[in-house]
Amino acid sequence: MSHLILAASDQATTPIHALGEADLDSYLASVSDFIRGFAALNGFAAKAGQVLLTPGQDGAVAGVLFGVGDGMDPMVFRALSAKLPTGDYHLKTFPDSLVFDDIVLAFGLGGYRFDRYKRSSSPGPRLVTPGADITRTAKIIEACALARDMINTPAGDLGPLQIELIARDMAKTFGAEISVIVGDDLLTGNYPAVHAVGRAAAPDRAPRMIEMTWGSVDHPSVVLVGKGVTFDTGGLDIKPSAGMRQMKKDMGGGAHLLALGQMVMATNLPVRLTLLLPAVENAISGDAMRPGDVLNSRKGLTIEVGNTDAEGRLILADALTRAGELNPVLTLDLATLTGAARVALGPQLPPYFTDDEALAAEIATCARQAHDPVWRLPLWKGYVDALDSDIADIKNDSDAWAQAGSITAALFLQRFAPKTAWAHFDIFAWNPRARPGWASGAETQAIRGLFNLLCNRFS
Ligand code: BES
Ligand code: MN
Ligand code: ZN
């Protein structure tokens, strides 16, 4: 259970009255002159995210008024946990338009803090939910916090080995099988592109291919793939400093995959689940892959490295080929793949790509249900030949004329992806600015919607 959400508390809990703007007048008509006056004095108008602590006779906090605005978006409750002082609270009233579980979810996501490197930090508020079964919601909150912790952890403390250890820990918890191919064994194991991208890193940061399998073989095979670049210097086509600054987050796809995998395993979804997580550092050394090098790939297609900074699609090429060997009914990949995705849609709206119309529609529906926005972009065939190489089967940096970098990256992946249902998510995994409930730094995207999709499809 998430530490932010409790089934019961042994201390007194403060009641929260969550009010939409439309409910405010009738609510204020039902309370004492004192509270009504206090709310007016403090300008409480139930605007989305407004928090007002109301005092009792002794001057201590007796209750909380929380504004829900138009009452349509439960995610405003992220701001509540970010703004409340430390203590235990319970929800006394909330607008009929909202679902209790969604509120709990938002409270849990909004209360996330990354304090690993802070000498002191406050425990923060907790929501007590007596009598409610919020097990599933708590698992989602917990999984998202794991992904965010991984993404926020600096590359110096989270390399490919640390990702492996986290994956091994998870496998142990859920009784999954795990196999890891490390360093030069990637060559004999036929993951040449994973090896090429990661081979320049120091030996204790050697590249590796992590494969975790869980669930009965009788269940449908679902494969999740995630980009695990623990740091992206850009390689020899080195990134400018501003761009490199955030590249500890380039394993965001891998963190998302572990989080989604954990949701699936923790809720015992009847699927045969495989997690494929290539974990590498895109480093610079005498052994680094060079611009112009031609790599082999697991699929057998040769890849010309036009730019060593387009490394994510290289490791995903091998991982997606592996996915196809597992007879998947569904393959999903998540990756912080391109800066172009952010240019197209900004940091809050990750694009997804699939040619499966039914899957596309279901992703959209489930994402909306989960209040976890995504936006479809096309696998536009007109840009496929922007990936043509003069000397190899394909190249990793598309011609400039095609411009749409997130689309051409997705088209590159499509060459390697299974022919059965496949969708690719080009996530940003980051809040560039802090808002109450959205701490700056790591953010999860798409996986809550995808969890809904997996639950709908397979349970
Ligand atoms: N990890 C980056 C993409 C990225 C950059 C994601 C900034 C989020 C924020 C990726 O490996 C990369 O460098 N992509 C290049 C590709 C280009 C060289 C073809 C990009 O997007 O510029
Ligand atoms: Mn890169
Ligand atoms: Zn990258």
Side-chain angles (χ1 to χ4, degrees):
M1 172 97 54
S2 163
H3 67 284
L4 299 164
I5 313 290
L6 299 176
S9 168
D10 50 13
Q11 63 190 75
T13 65
T14 307
I16 299 166
H17 299 271
L19 303 164
E21 286 164 44
D23 316 323
L24 184 60
D25 285 348
S26 63
Y27 176 75
L28 290 178
S30 74
V31 297
S32 66
D33 291 351
F34 175 75
I35 294 296
R36 189 161 46 247
F38 189 81
L41 179 66
N42 287 281
F44 182 80
K47 297 271 177 247
Q50 246 187 324
V51 174
L52 181 65
L53 304 181
T54 57
Q57 298 287 344
D58 57 356
V61 179
V64 177
L65 297 184
F66 180 63
V68 191
D70 66 6
M72 298 317 288
D73 179 12
M75 286 299 144
V76 302
F77 280 84
R78 288 181 71 141
L80 180 60
S81 49
K83 288 177 173 176
L84 284 178
T86 296
D88 287 355
Y89 300 83
H90 66 275
L91 200 57
K92 187 84 185 176
T93 52
F94 61 92
D96 293 341
S97 47
L98 297 180
V99 177
F100 184 68
D101 268 33
D102 288 347
I103 295 175
V104 174
L105 173 67
F107 187 94
L109 296 173
Y112 172 82
R113 283 165 186 75
F114 184 64
D115 51 16
R116 173 167 171 181
Y117 299 98
K118 294 274 192 198
R119 192 178 317 191
S120 66
S121 66
S122 80
R126 304 190 296 188
L127 188 65
V128 182
T129 60
D133 180 8
I134 47 91
T135 327
R136 181 179 187 272
T137 305
K139 282 171 177 161
I140 296 172
I141 294 168
E142 214 178 333
C144 289
L146 168 72
R148 289 167 86 180
D149 280 348
M150 289 178 70
I151 294 165
N152 277 324
T153 301
D157 287 335
L158 189 126
L161 169 64
Q162 285 70 37
I163 292 196
E164 174 184 337
L165 295 176
I166 293 167
R168 285 195 183 281
D169 208 48
M170 191 178 288
K172 200 168 172 196
T173 303
F174 297 106
E177 284 162 44
I178 184 165
S179 70
V180 183
I181 304 177
V182 185
D184 288 345
D185 288 348
L186 288 165
L187 296 173
T188 43
N190 197 21
Y191 288 102
V194 178
H195 181 268
V197 173
R199 74 187 184 211
D204 61 345
R205 293 168 178 275
R208 60 206 67 207
M209 183 67 203
I210 302 166
E211 179 166 330
M212 199 192 306
T213 313
W214 175 90
S216 162
V217 283
D218 300 331
H219 291 151
S221 167
V222 172
V223 182
L224 307 179
V225 178
K227 171 178 173 181
V229 176
T230 59
F231 194 73
D232 183 9
T233 65
L236 290 173
D237 284 347
I238 188 167
K239 275 188 187 302
S241 52
M244 203 190 298
R245 177 65 181 84
Q246 288 178 351
M247 283 300 117
K248 69 174 183 182
K249 79 173 170 82
D250 214 19
M251 33 53 72
H256 276 60
L257 148 135
L258 288 176
L260 181 53
Q262 179 167 307
M263 292 179 207
V264 168
M265 294 187 284
T267 55
N268 246 311
L269 219 64
V271 292
R272 171 74 166 172
L273 180 70
T274 306
L275 307 182
L276 299 176
L277 206 176
V280 301
E281 180 173 306
N282 189 19
I284 297 173
S285 77
D287 194 28
M289 63 175 175
R290 304 156 199 87
D293 279 356
V294 174
L295 311 181
N296 205 350
S297 67
R298 184 176 185 86
K299 196 183 175 81
L301 292 177
T302 55
I303 307 170
E304 185 181 11
V305 180
N307 191 318
T308 63
D309 200 5
E311 83 297 342
R313 65 196 73 182
L314 298 174
I315 63 172
L316 291 177
D318 279 357
L320 287 167
T321 302
R322 174 65 186 147
E325 296 161 11
L326 300 165
N327 300 318
V329 297
L330 177 62
T331 304
L332 302 169
D333 81 70
L334 296 136
T336 51
L337 200 61
T338 70
R342 180 202 42 191
V343 174
L345 297 175
Q348 298 179 12
L349 201 53
Y352 70 97
F353 299 83
T354 180
D355 273 347
D356 184 317
E357 294 300 323
L359 179 59
E362 208 175 331
I363 288 170
T365 309
C366 293
R368 217 174 304 117
Q369 274 170 7
H371 310 279
D372 193 10
V374 293
W375 203 264
R376 189 181 182 191
L377 288 183
L379 288 154
W380 186 254
K381 299 297 172 283
Y383 302 152
V384 166
D385 64 350
L387 293 163
D388 286 349
S389 162
D390 290 338
I391 63 168
D393 296 323
I394 192 169
K395 66 183 176 195
N396 76 336
D397 64 328
S398 52
D399 292 331
W401 65 262
Q403 297 203 48
S406 183
I407 296 178
T408 51
L411 289 168
F412 180 96
L413 298 185
Q414 193 174 31
R415 286 288 291 274
F416 299 88
K419 296 294 166 246
T420 49
W422 162 72
H424 154 62
F425 292 77
D426 194 341
I427 57 174
F428 193 59
W430 196 259
N431 292 318
R433 67 168 173 143
R435 295 173 282 155
W438 281 262
S440 65
E443 186 54 83
T444 55
Q445 299 182 307
I447 50 174
R448 289 186 284 108
L450 289 176
F451 182 49
N452 277 0
L453 183 142
L454 295 177
C455 293
N456 288 352
R457 275 207 173 186
F458 299 109
S459 60

